[in-house]
């Protein structure tokens, strides 16, 4: 018998098709001709019969023909045969592709941009999904948009002889064309910026959606319109409805004696606020007194928003829709009207205010908590500190309430040390700030300095948030009954991403221990502790953040991994977060002995999902405003050279952060000094001619090639490599220190919950913080 003779049986036509299809599915990246398949399947069928079977399968769309009578599995075969459906939210990437985040499912579903069926970031969709052969990650296609995340957009009004439309340019997404009635244009002129509401998402034969103009903003080109556009295009309205304003104005400004009588009166206790310089909504205060028995009593007092914003009111409905205040570079888009946020509920100095308090009795030596009390109070702030003023008291030992501030600082450091020992991760990243002139033009860029008083307030807000959540959880356990509550949770990190990070860290000389969640947390802290002494580790920080899950609001308490807390919620900022308003209501209804108040769990979970979705949109808007101002800051610097640090590598180029002003741009490989190949894992690039290897953290001299404000993009070209892994490669080495800001000023929405306890409030128009080199004065130039 010949060595190469095929053994096997002759299959019937239908069985042959099944065998071929199975083989091609198992080897989805390979192509086979009839002869190769006969050998692979070990059958006695002729080449003609195998070819016939292949042609039938190709006609059915399950496989596809290539060159030279070769065939392979069709790319969309799994898609066509899948009958699995899920619902989730669209999380769109810069490339236009997306991941569908499915509640309660550990695996996000990847959907290419071409299969989104018009769905946009944040939309709730129905998706059909499948797992491609020999791959672990599911893919899918959107089959129906169930709920739109955003319905109003800012665009450019275009009027033609027979029709009018609005062109909506979305950063990182395809342009929208919206047909509108010329007779209902609200007086808009050609090329003016307008707000359009989408009435129908079904495109007409001209690929236009249908909409209605709701506002005319004016001529394009101003920073004011661009900031308004960022808010509106992310789903946030810039004005309040008339009925909401009327309701807020009708609220009484005086506190009645009857209201004071039903509350714990703490007006005689030393109390003060510590906030940013520009803040107007002071929603928390601290009090401190020594009790007769020598123990310490510390109060965390929070504005009692739920007293004024009642369920079912116009104010409540508006706040429930917005769910959060949005902080852009130069303004705040508030959750509540100014009458509430800056007047009635703001804990202004020398005014009696209604508050909801968490009061802790502590041992004066160990600072162990001996007693907890939660309830409604009336308080009186004796002093309003800025962070810098309070820090000056700590630094000099002179000033108002120095004894109280020193003691609170000592206790906060004790709480912080204990928290990190229990597994909390220090993921605080640098925050970019701008000094602006009166018209919003950026004059300089700087990094917000993180001082002890920032952390002092953070620590006590974290304490109150944790203890409120623990109280509700323990009450449920004691009553052996589930009390639906709003928890702030943070899941353990994705192990695949953590393993990738560990490989990256190991390449830089740092070993991570991945055996347990606790050891991973310790490894994160050990790694991030090195970032001040190693520029490569500085650049690693944003990658470490991206390995973490996103913190969300939910009724299911799984704990907060990033903080190392078993129980956590948001209680301390009801002026700017609707989650905190809900927490106040549920907590208040369950405080009395023998009380048991239970919301509908499904309704509460739906509210939690909406709040989480709005939070993601607010973060996106904040990042877009930072990127816009950074790009605007660089408009007059085309052709100029700067020192920078590599802070990212991609298939198409190198991301560079400028040392002087923390602005990020990109060098395409065509604008490098020689052709480069990117290494596996995108850890480094290697020059084809010189063999020179560049990694994140290496210092470069770059030239600004182009600044595109419309696309918010800065193109750079490499001038010189200054430093590779600490070794000088140029006599012109700069002495500037490199910056460690994460790309686009990002902070972790998961592990950055300390910032969630109390974060950057108030419009940031001016600052006394140290600024980078001021930019030249300029005449605003036309955008590209």
């Amino acid at each position: 018998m010949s060595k190469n003779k095929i053994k096997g049986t002759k299959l019937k036509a239908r069985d042959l098709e099944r065998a071929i299809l199975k083989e091609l599915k198992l080897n989805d990246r390979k192509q086979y001709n009839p002869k190769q398949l006969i050998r692979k399947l070990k059958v006695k069928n002729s080449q003609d019969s195998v070819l016939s079977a292949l042609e039938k399968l190709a006609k059915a769309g399950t496989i596809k023909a290539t060159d030279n009578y070769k065939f392979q599995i069709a790319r969309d075969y799994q898609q066509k045969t899948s009958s699995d459906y899920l619902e989730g939210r669209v999380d769109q990437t810069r490339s236009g592709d997306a991941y569908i985040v499915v509640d309660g499912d550990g695996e996000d579903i990847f959907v290419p941009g071409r299969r989104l069926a018009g769905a946009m970031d944040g939309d709730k969709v129905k998706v059909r999904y499948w797992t491609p052969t020999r791959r672990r990650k599911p893919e899918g296609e959107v089959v129906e948009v169930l709920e739109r995340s955003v319905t109003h957009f800012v665009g450019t009004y275009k009027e033609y002889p027979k029709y009018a439309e609005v062109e909506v340019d979305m950063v990182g997404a395809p342009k929208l064309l919206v047909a509108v009635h010329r007779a209902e244009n609200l007086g808009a002129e050609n090329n003016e910026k307008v707000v359009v509401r989408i009435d129908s998402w079904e495109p007409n034969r001209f690929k236009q959606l249908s909409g209605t103009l709701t506002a005319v903003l004016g001529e394009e080109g101003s920073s004011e319109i661009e900031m308004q556009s960022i808010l509106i295009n992310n789903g946030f309205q810039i004005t309040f409805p008339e009925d909401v304003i009327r309701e807020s104005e009708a609220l009484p400004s005086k506190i009645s004696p009857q209201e004071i009588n039903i509350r714990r009166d703490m007006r005689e206790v030393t109390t003060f606020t510590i906030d940013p310089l520009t803040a107007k909504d002071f929603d928390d205060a601290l009090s401190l007194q020594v009790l007769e028995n020598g123990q310490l009593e510390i109060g965390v007092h929070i504005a009692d928003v739920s007293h004024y914003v009642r369920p079912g009111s116009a104010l409540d409905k508006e706040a429930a829709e917005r769910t959060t205040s949005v902080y852009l570079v130069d303004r705040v888009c508030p959750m509540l009207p100014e009458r509430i946020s800056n007047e009635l509920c703001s804990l202004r100095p020398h005014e009696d205010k209604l508050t909801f308090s968490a009061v802790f009795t502590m041992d004066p030596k160990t600072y162990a908590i001996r007693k907890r009390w939660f309830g409604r109070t009336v308080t009186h702030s004796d002093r309003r500190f800025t962070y810098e003023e309070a820090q000056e008291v700590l630094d000099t030992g002179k000033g108002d309430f120095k004894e109280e501030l020193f003691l609170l600082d000592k206790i906060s450091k004790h709480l912080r040390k204990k928290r990190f020992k229990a597994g909390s991760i220090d993921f605080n990243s640098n925050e970019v700030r701008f000094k602006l002139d009166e018209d919003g033009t950026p004059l300089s860029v700087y990094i917000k300095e993180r001082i002890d008083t920032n952390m002092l307030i953070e620590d006590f807000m974290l304490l109150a948030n944790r203890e409120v959540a623990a109280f509700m959880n323990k009450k449920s356990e004691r009553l052996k009954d589930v009390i639906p509550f709003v928890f702030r949770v943070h899941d353990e990190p994705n192990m695949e991403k953590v393993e990738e990070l560990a490989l990256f860290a190991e390449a830089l000389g740092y070993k991570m221990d991945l055996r347990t969640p606790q050891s991973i947390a310790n490894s994160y802290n050990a790694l991030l502790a090195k970032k001040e002494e190693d520029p490569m580790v500085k650049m690693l920080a944003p990658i470490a953040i991206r390995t973490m899950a996103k913190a969300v609001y939910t009724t299911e308490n799984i704990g907060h991994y990033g903080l190392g807390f078993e129980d956590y919620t948001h209680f301390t900022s009801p002026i700017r977060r609707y989650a905190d308003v809900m927490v106040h209501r549920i907590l208040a209804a369950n405080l009395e002995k023998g009380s048991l108040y239970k919301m509908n769990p499904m309704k509460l979970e739906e509210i939690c999902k909406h709040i989480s979705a709005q939070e993601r949109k607010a973060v996106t808007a904040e990042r877009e405003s930072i990127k816009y101002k950074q790009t605007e800051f660089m408009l007059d610097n085309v052709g100029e050279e700067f020192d920078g640090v590599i802070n990212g590598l991609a298939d198409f180029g190198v991301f560079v952060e400028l040392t002087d002003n923390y602005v990020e741009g990109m060098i395409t490989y065509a604008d490098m000094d020689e052709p480069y190949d990117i290494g596996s894992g995108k850890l480094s690039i290697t020059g084809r001619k010189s063999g020179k290897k560049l990694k994140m953290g290496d210092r470069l001299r770059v030239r600004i090639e182009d600044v595109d404000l419309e696309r918010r993009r800065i193109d750079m070209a490499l001038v010189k490599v200054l430093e590779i892994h600490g070794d000088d490669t140029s006599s012109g080495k700069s002495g500037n220190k490199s910056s460690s800001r994460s790309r686009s000023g990002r902070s972790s929405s998961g592990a950055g919950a300390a910032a969630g306890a109390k974060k950057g409030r108030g419009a940031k128009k001016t600052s006394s913080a140290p600024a980078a080199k001021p930019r030249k004065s300029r005449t605003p130039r036309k955008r590209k």
Side-chain angles (χ1 to χ4, degrees):
M1 183 180 291
S2 170
K3 184 178 179 180
N4 296 323
K5 186 170 180 179
I6 302 299
K7 293 183 178 181
T9 58
K10 185 176 181 180
L11 299 178
K12 295 180 180 179
R14 187 57 186 152
D15 292 335
L16 180 61
E17 290 175 23
R18 290 195 187 100
I20 291 172
L21 184 58
K22 182 178 179 181
E23 187 65 31
L24 294 183
K25 279 177 65 179
L26 288 172
N27 298 277
D28 59 324
R29 297 185 180 182
K30 294 185 178 181
Q31 302 174 15
Y32 296 99
N33 61 30
K35 187 175 181 180
Q36 290 169 326
L37 280 169
I38 290 172
R39 291 181 177 275
K40 193 78 175 172
L41 297 173
K42 298 181 179 180
V43 294
K44 291 185 176 179
N45 298 71
S46 66
Q47 291 188 39
D48 288 339
S49 63
V50 173
L51 179 60
S52 176
L54 286 166
E55 289 173 342
K56 284 184 180 179
L57 291 169
K59 189 175 181 180
T62 56
I63 68 172
K64 64 177 182 179
T66 58
D67 297 329
N68 299 322
Y69 294 100
K70 286 189 174 182
F71 296 79
Q72 70 178 130
I73 197 74
R75 177 184 289 182
D76 60 354
Y77 169 71
Q78 288 92 341
Q79 171 188 353
K80 290 181 177 180
T81 57
S82 172
S83 59
D84 294 319
Y85 295 86
L86 284 172
E87 293 181 6
R89 294 275 177 184
V90 177
D91 185 5
Q92 200 160 19
T93 66
R94 287 183 181 182
S95 66
D97 298 333
Y99 291 88
I100 309 302
V101 182
V102 180
D103 292 323
D105 195 288
E107 199 80 74
D108 294 345
I109 299 168
F110 175 72
V111 176
R114 67 181 183 277
R115 296 197 203 128
L116 280 172
M120 302 174 68
D121 190 53
D123 289 352
K124 184 178 181 181
V125 297
K126 183 177 182 180
V127 61
R128 178 167 58 174
Y129 70 99
W130 59 91
T131 302
T133 307
R134 292 201 172 182
R135 297 183 202 171
R136 290 181 291 176
K137 304 283 187 180
E139 293 185 9
E141 66 169 350
V142 172
V143 295
E144 184 182 358
V145 179
L146 302 174
E147 179 184 301
R148 290 289 178 178
S149 173
V150 180
T151 57
H152 290 67
F153 297 90
V154 173
T156 305
Y157 180 71
K158 301 282 188 179
E159 190 167 307
Y160 301 99
K162 293 185 178 181
Y163 69 98
E165 68 180 10
V166 177
E167 292 184 1
V168 179
D169 286 313
M170 304 291 290
V171 177
K175 179 185 293 186
L176 296 179
L177 298 178
V178 187
V180 295
H181 293 293
R182 288 187 299 165
E184 300 174 1
N185 68 358
L186 305 181
E189 300 288 340
N190 209 25
N191 293 319
E192 280 191 322
K193 287 289 185 179
V194 297
V195 181
V196 63
R197 182 188 68 235
I198 307 298
D199 298 326
S200 172
W201 291 87
E202 192 66 35
N204 61 21
R205 59 194 180 100
F206 302 110
K207 297 185 178 179
Q208 298 170 313
L209 308 180
S210 176
T212 303
L213 295 191
T214 61
V216 178
L217 300 180
E219 292 185 13
E220 69 173 331
S222 72
S223 176
E224 177 69 20
I225 288 179
E226 292 300 331
M227 293 297 109
Q228 290 178 344
S229 299
I230 287 172
L231 288 168
I232 294 169
N233 287 345
N234 281 286
F236 296 99
Q237 298 306 307
I238 57 179
T239 59
F240 287 96
E242 289 183 9
D243 61 336
V244 173
I245 297 296
R246 280 197 306 270
E247 198 169 274
S248 68
E249 294 296 333
L251 292 169
S253 57
K254 290 185 177 180
I255 302 173
S256 69
Q258 293 87 347
E259 188 63 38
I260 292 175
N261 287 337
I262 63 174
R263 291 171 177 259
R264 179 173 174 178
D265 192 341
M266 300 189 70
R267 288 177 292 178
E268 299 303 317
V269 182
T270 298
T271 303
F272 45 77
T273 61
I274 307 177
D275 290 275
L277 174 66
T278 54
K280 295 179 181 179
D281 55 339
F282 313 137
D283 58 4
D284 58 74
L286 294 178
S287 70
L288 174 64
Q289 66 175 332
V290 180
L291 302 177
E292 292 182 359
N293 61 7
Q295 293 190 324
L296 306 175
E297 183 187 82
I298 296 174
V300 180
H301 308 288
I302 309 301
D304 192 358
V305 174
S306 61
H307 172 78
Y308 297 98
V309 180
R310 299 301 177 94
S313 64
L315 278 165
D316 183 54
K317 290 175 182 175
E318 184 70 12
E321 178 59 34
R322 295 180 179 233
T323 78
T324 183
S325 295
V326 188
Y327 295 85
L328 303 190
V329 167
D330 63 346
R331 71 197 62 208
V332 179
C333 179
M335 181 181 80
L336 294 165
E338 189 174 305
R339 163 83 167 140
I340 293 179
S341 59
N342 293 357
E343 293 180 31
L344 295 178
C345 290
S346 185
L347 307 185
R348 300 185 297 194
H350 313 303
E351 295 180 10
D352 292 349
K353 293 293 181 179
L354 300 180
T355 44
F356 204 136
S357 304
V359 182
F360 305 99
T361 303
M362 292 184 173
D363 185 282
K365 295 181 179 179
T366 65
Y367 306 133
I369 298 174
R370 301 303 185 195
K371 185 180 178 182
R372 301 158 178 80
W373 181 90
F374 307 103
R376 287 195 155 101
T377 53
V378 56
T379 53
H380 184 99
S381 174
D382 300 296
R383 172 76 150 86
R384 183 261 163 131
F385 286 100
T386 66
Y387 283 119
E388 291 75 20
E389 288 170 343
Q391 187 64 48
E392 187 176 356
V393 174
L394 292 178
D395 292 342
T396 64
K398 299 177 182 178
D400 294 341
F401 306 113
K402 64 178 183 181
E403 289 85 4
E404 288 86 351
L405 282 170
F406 270 106
L407 184 53
L408 288 172
D409 184 53
K410 192 174 181 180
I411 296 171
S412 76
K413 287 174 179 174
H414 169 79
L415 293 171
R416 199 178 317 144
K417 183 178 180 180
K418 188 176 179 182
R419 173 162 57 88
F420 283 118
K421 188 176 181 180
S424 184
I425 302 173
D426 186 10
F427 265 130
N428 287 294
S429 58
N430 291 333
E431 295 183 41
V432 175
R433 293 288 183 263
F434 297 82
K435 186 175 182 181
L436 308 173
D437 67 9
E438 291 184 358
D439 69 355
T441 301
L443 301 175
S444 60
V445 191
Y446 62 93
I447 291 294
K448 175 187 173 184
E449 185 182 2
R450 188 167 159 77
I451 54 182
D452 281 349
T453 48
N454 292 123
M455 293 181 278
L456 182 157
I457 293 297
E458 216 170 69
D459 289 325
F460 283 107
M461 298 306 114
L462 288 170
L463 173 66
N465 288 335
R466 185 191 71 193
E467 292 297 326
V468 166
F471 171 83
M472 291 300 301
N473 195 39
K474 287 175 183 175
K475 179 165 185 173
S476 289
E477 291 175 354
R478 187 172 67 252
L479 298 179
K480 297 181 180 179
D481 196 355
V482 176
I483 305 175
F485 190 63
V486 179
F487 292 100
R488 178 72 167 176
V489 305
H490 182 224
D491 207 350
E492 294 178 1
N494 181 303
M495 280 309 299
E496 285 188 17
K497 293 181 180 179
V498 174
E499 287 166 1
E500 290 175 6
L501 173 68
L503 289 174
F504 202 159
E506 192 169 7
L508 300 180
Y510 297 96
K511 185 75 173 176
M512 293 182 66
D513 184 353
L514 308 185
R515 289 176 297 173
T516 66
Q518 179 70 44
S519 67
I520 293 173
N522 293 338
S523 293
Y524 275 120
N525 282 327
L527 181 67
L528 296 173
K530 303 285 186 182
K531 65 184 179 183
E532 294 307 319
E533 58 191 66
D534 189 333
M536 287 187 292
V537 176
K538 279 186 179 182
M539 297 301 105
L540 198 62
I543 296 177
I545 289 172
R546 288 196 289 273
T547 66
M548 305 301 291
K550 292 179 181 178
V552 297
Y553 297 100
T554 179
T555 57
E556 183 182 352
N557 184 23
I558 62 169
H560 198 295
Y561 176 77
L563 290 172
F565 291 164
E566 291 184 7
D567 309 294
Y568 192 65
T569 189
H570 274 169
F571 165 80
T572 54
S573 293
I575 289 177
R576 63 186 180 91
R577 291 188 307 226
Y578 192 69
D580 302 53
V581 177
M582 296 300 299
V583 165
H584 282 210
R585 289 174 181 168
I586 298 171
L587 176 63
N590 282 285
L591 282 176
E592 287 188 21
K593 190 174 182 180
S595 62
L596 177 59
Y597 170 74
K598 298 170 66 174
M599 271 193 71
N600 181 307
M602 293 181 66
K603 181 180 180 181
L604 186 58
E605 183 63 27
E606 198 60 37
I607 292 172
C608 288
K609 290 177 182 177
H610 176 60
I611 295 173
S612 297
Q614 290 291 100
E615 179 186 37
R616 289 192 294 271
K617 290 193 288 186
V619 170
T620 299
E622 179 185 347
R623 290 173 181 166
E624 286 183 14
S625 76
I626 292 171
K627 189 66 177 177
Y628 180 87
K629 288 299 179 185
Q630 287 178 320
T631 310
E632 185 181 19
F633 180 74
M634 296 301 293
L635 276 174
D636 288 336
N637 289 287
V638 174
E640 295 189 15
E641 295 183 3
F642 296 85
D643 288 356
V645 180
I646 297 175
N647 73 338
L649 300 171
D651 293 328
F652 45 83
V654 176
F655 290 100
V656 176
E657 183 183 74
L658 302 185
T659 306
D660 281 346
N661 52 40
Y662 317 104
V663 169
E664 183 189 78
M666 189 189 72
I667 310 175
T668 63
Y669 289 122
D671 289 317
M672 295 288 283
D673 55 347
E674 62 176 296
Y676 281 83
D677 292 319
I678 190 164
S680 61
K682 299 180 181 179
L683 303 182
S684 64
I685 56 173
T686 305
R688 293 180 187 173
K689 296 179 181 178
S690 65
K692 176 173 57 200
K693 182 177 284 189
L694 300 179
K695 292 184 177 182
M696 290 203 302
D698 291 345
R699 298 177 58 247
L700 310 175
R701 185 77 174 170
V702 300
R703 182 175 59 253
I704 306 301
E705 294 290 290
D706 186 41
V707 178
D708 188 335
L709 193 52
E710 186 175 332
R711 296 168 63 201
R712 297 164 199 165
R713 174 170 167 163
I714 299 168
D715 291 328
M716 304 174 177
L718 177 63
V719 176
K720 185 191 302 182
V721 177
L722 299 176
E723 189 176 43
I724 299 178
H725 309 322
D727 296 327
D728 291 340
T729 59
S730 166
S731 59
K733 177 184 175 183
S734 167
N736 291 329
K737 293 181 180 179
S738 62
S739 165
S740 62
R741 181 183 61 80
S742 61
R743 287 179 53 186
S744 303
R746 293 185 181 183
S747 65
S748 168
S749 61
K758 177 160 182 170
K759 179 189 172 194
R761 301 173 321 191
K764 300 172 274 290
K765 268 206 165 184
T766 59
S767 174
S768 58
K773 183 172 65 178
R775 63 172 295 156
K776 300 182 294 183
S777 61
R778 65 174 177 83
T779 302
R781 88 184 216 196
K782 191 174 181 181
R783 291 167 178 73
K784 294 188 177 182

